[in-house]
């Protein structure tokens, strides 16, 4: 590893540490309005959706694959249906993973 790469890594690490430490250090003194607190509750859902949906709709990264040959799409649809009807996180995870793996096995077999 070159000196430039080491300096780059140390710089990125120090900036990340400074940002996170600042938030932890003053976190008990900062109060958000109820509206902001309510809005922050949606951040995890929004971030996970932004990560999962492109991977589900474009698993190869070459465009939309809205066909039944896309096991990611089938598993995602099953996950949404299980979650909507059962409201059970473990059942949603296990059920959609089971459908995903069985669908891939059926397609490849």
């Amino acid at each position: 590893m070159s000196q430039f790469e080491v300096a780059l890594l140390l710089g990125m690490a120090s900036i990340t540490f400074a940002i996170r430490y600042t938030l932890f250090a003053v976190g008990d003194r900062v109060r958000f309005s109820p509206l902001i607190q309510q809005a922050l509750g949606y951040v995890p859902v929004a971030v996970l959706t932004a990560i999962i949906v492109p991977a589900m709709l474009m698993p190869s990264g070459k465009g939309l694959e809205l066909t039944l040959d896309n096991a990611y799409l089938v598993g995602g649809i099953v996950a949404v249906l299980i979650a909507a009807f059962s409201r059970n996180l473990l059942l949603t995870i296990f059920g959609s993973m089971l459908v995903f793996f069985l669908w891939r096995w059926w397609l490849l077999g």
Side-chain angles (χ1 to χ4, degrees), residues 11-28:
M12 290 188 301
S14 61
I15 290 171
T16 302
F17 176 78
I19 291 170
R20 291 184 182 185
Y21 180 75
T22 303
L23 292 174
F24 282 122
V26 298
D28 60 336

Side-chain angles (χ1 to χ4, degrees), residues 21-71:
Y21 180 75
T22 303
L23 292 174
F24 282 122
V26 298
D28 60 336
R29 290 180 245 153
V30 176
R31 298 284 178 239
F32 293 117
S33 70
L35 182 63
I36 298 293
Q37 286 181 344
Q38 183 181 7
L40 286 174
Y42 294 105
V43 169
V45 174
V47 170
L48 288 174
T49 302
I51 293 170
I52 292 170
V53 169
M56 188 175 75
L57 298 178
M58 300 182 295
S60 65
K62 297 177 183 171
L64 291 176
E65 295 183 25
L66 302 176
T67 65
L68 291 176
D69 292 340
N70 183 354

Side-chain angles (χ1 to χ4, degrees), residues 1-14:
M1 205 182 301
S2 71
Q3 290 178 340
F4 175 75
E5 291 171 328
V6 171
L8 185 64
L9 286 173
L10 289 175
M12 290 188 301
S14 61

